[in-house]
Amino acid sequence: MIMSSRIRVLFLLMLPLLWGCEFKDVQLESIEEINLESLQGGQIDGTIHMVLSNPNSFGITVKSADFELFTGNVKLGEASLRKAFKIESNSSKTYPVQLSGNLSNALAGGFMGLAGALTGKKPKVTIKGELKAGNFFYTKKVPVEEETEIPLGL
């Protein structure tokens, strides 16, 4: 009974602290670079260098991420976060987001990219999905939809 009273008092004392914490959205500013690390049998490992802005006074951990990759209207495949990472407080900087995925329809998209390369254009990929980010108390989904050129050196 005494322990229960102490927990209630502690909770009531901490409640204003929880209300005072406002979780502002993390923003995807841009995608700087895409690095392909391996491509075997339709499985892909790579890193997307994203500029993420955290306006909060506390660090936020990106716990998971799921993306779909497109070229034009053709879905190339899907990718997921390999390793969680932390976004520093009050910052805007580049973070390497390590992904693994399956490029089940890459052949169709590859022909479209090759056609673009032959005309002097860099192939483009659209990345759609979300990051799940948060700290001990809060978790939010950050939508991602960004079109970027793929370096021809891949």
Side-chain angles (χ1 to χ4, degrees), residues 71-132:
T71 183
N73 292 327
V74 178
K75 181 178 174 182
L76 297 174
E78 299 174 347
S80 297
L81 186 67
R82 280 189 305 201
K83 182 179 173 185
F85 64 96
K86 187 172 182 177
I87 302 172
E88 294 176 15
S89 62
N90 296 316
S91 68
S92 181
K93 62 183 269 187
T94 303
Y95 293 91
V97 180
Q98 299 175 358
L99 301 171
S100 291
N102 181 343
L103 295 182
S104 54
N105 295 328
L107 188 58
F111 287 128
M112 293 178 77
L114 181 59
L118 292 174
T119 62
K121 297 179 183 175
K122 291 183 181 178
K124 292 184 179 183
V125 65
T126 300
I127 301 165
K128 294 182 184 180
E130 64 186 19
L131 300 171
K132 290 181 187 162

Side-chain angles (χ1 to χ4, degrees), residues 45-94:
D45 288 321
T47 301
I48 299 176
H49 297 269
M50 296 182 172
V51 178
L52 297 170
S53 177
N54 178 9
N56 296 292
S57 60
F58 48 88
I60 294 175
T61 300
V62 175
K63 301 171 183 180
S64 68
D66 294 302
F67 301 108
E68 293 180 321
L69 307 172
F70 295 87
T71 183
N73 292 327
V74 178
K75 181 178 174 182
L76 297 174
E78 299 174 347
S80 297
L81 186 67
R82 280 189 305 201
K83 182 179 173 185
F85 64 96
K86 187 172 182 177
I87 302 172
E88 294 176 15
S89 62
N90 296 316
S91 68
S92 181
K93 62 183 269 187
T94 303

